[in-house]
Amino acid sequence: MTQKANLFKGKAKKKSIPPNRHGKAPVTRKGKRFVKPSKVTKEMDADREVSKFINHCNEIKAATLATKDGGQLGIIKPPLEQPNGAK
């Protein structure tokens, strides 16, 4: 038998809001933060290239389906980044 009446099995205790946060908004965490690995291997680079290719194919398929339905959707390529010193 539990001593507190509101803590029966299946009921969760609600978090209490602190009495004063000095005008700060509550912090909302959205998913896990991405941390870059310290070592980048050749396999990781190969996986990245494969996923880029798959994403590109999916974008082309979506664009063709949208244009078939009468819409005007095109894929815009970002400007190529030039190496340092080249203009």
Side-chain angles (χ1 to χ4, degrees):
M1 211 56 208
T2 59
Q3 297 296 318
K4 296 179 182 175
N6 59 353
L7 288 181
F8 288 109
K9 190 174 183 180
K11 276 196 172 183
K13 184 178 178 183
K14 292 185 181 179
K15 290 185 179 179
S16 61
I17 299 172
N20 194 351
R21 281 190 248 130
H22 301 287
K24 295 175 185 168
V27 178
T28 55
R29 293 180 184 158
K30 298 180 181 177
K32 295 182 179 179
R33 298 286 180 251
F34 177 74
V35 179
K36 280 191 170 183
S38 58
K39 292 184 179 180
V40 178
T41 61
K42 290 180 181 179
E43 290 178 7
M44 294 170 114
D45 287 336
D47 288 343
R48 190 175 297 123
E49 292 299 321
V50 169
S51 62
K52 278 185 185 178
F53 176 74
I54 292 170
N55 287 341
H56 180 69
C57 290
N58 289 339
E59 288 173 0
I60 290 174
K61 286 178 186 176
T64 53
L65 280 173
T67 53
K68 281 182 184 176
D69 294 337
Q72 294 179 348
L73 180 69
I75 298 174
I76 300 172
K77 291 184 180 179
L80 294 173
E81 293 181 15
Q82 295 179 354
N84 293 340
K87 290 185 179 180

